[in-house]
Amino acid sequence: MTVYQFDESNIRWHTIEGFDHLSYFIYEVDEINKGVDLLFKFSANQKIALHRHKAAYRTLVVQGELRIYRANGELKEIRPVGSYVATEAGGEPHREGGGDQDVVVFFSNRNVADVIYEILDDDLQPIATFGLPEFKALLEAQST
């Protein structure tokens, strides 16, 4: 069987200061239909900030494997390349990261009421949020 590698040569990855092991590329911020579509790249064998999803979302792993960790650091789930998941808002706080290579995941956030991602400290207290206005600003900055 032929194995294909995701070609990211036309993607200009961006980062957010203070958010280690995470890069993004935003495709669309749809204020009318309340959605954000983007790619996230999580570094190999690393974990991103603890967070909670506050909007419904769909994911598709396009490269590598997505590892999901509970707030206590325990590995909860591994999603291999090609995995598609549809999830409603909520769920337990977690961290995500790549397996033995960087993982690239397409996220489609839907029906955003206010917040998409709630960033948490180690005591599960909110320290930042990202919603439509924040992603719109990131998309505008991405164009420059």
Side-chain angles (χ1 to χ4, degrees), residues 1-142:
M1 179 166 97
T2 303
V3 176
Y4 297 96
Q5 185 71 22
F6 178 67
D7 179 2
E8 60 184 278
S9 61
N10 291 318
I11 297 172
R12 194 171 126 218
W13 294 105
H14 300 270
T15 59
I16 300 171
E17 187 174 336
F19 289 88
D20 298 332
H21 316 300
L22 170 72
S23 302
Y24 69 88
F25 182 84
I26 301 170
Y27 286 101
E28 179 181 30
V29 176
D30 183 345
E31 293 177 289
I32 294 170
N33 295 305
K34 308 292 187 194
V36 175
D37 291 338
L38 72 161
L39 285 176
F40 280 125
K41 184 193 310 190
F42 305 125
S43 299
N45 298 307
Q46 300 292 331
K47 299 174 190 168
I48 65 165
L50 187 62
H51 65 281
R52 178 183 291 124
H53 296 257
K54 302 293 280 184
Y57 64 94
R58 310 293 186 258
T59 63
L60 174 65
V61 179
V62 297
Q63 173 184 286
E65 66 179 21
L66 177 63
R67 294 183 182 177
I68 301 170
Y69 301 88
R70 290 193 164 89
N72 67 5
E74 173 190 346
L75 180 63
K76 176 184 176 183
E77 183 179 351
I78 296 175
R79 296 180 185 165
V81 68
S83 296
Y84 175 84
V85 174
T87 305
E88 294 305 313
E92 69 181 291
H94 62 280
R95 298 177 193 271
E96 293 161 299
D100 291 334
Q101 73 176 97
D102 292 349
V103 63
V104 177
V105 184
F106 178 77
F107 276 78
S108 182
N109 299 283
R110 302 174 178 195
N111 306 316
V112 176
D114 183 24
V115 174
I116 298 172
Y117 301 111
E118 183 177 60
I119 311 305
L120 307 168
D121 66 15
D122 289 336
D123 295 321
L124 305 181
Q125 297 303 306
I127 56 173
T129 59
F130 287 85
L132 290 174
E134 291 78 14
F135 278 104
K136 183 178 179 183
L138 290 172
L139 178 59
E140 289 170 0
Q142 177 178 288

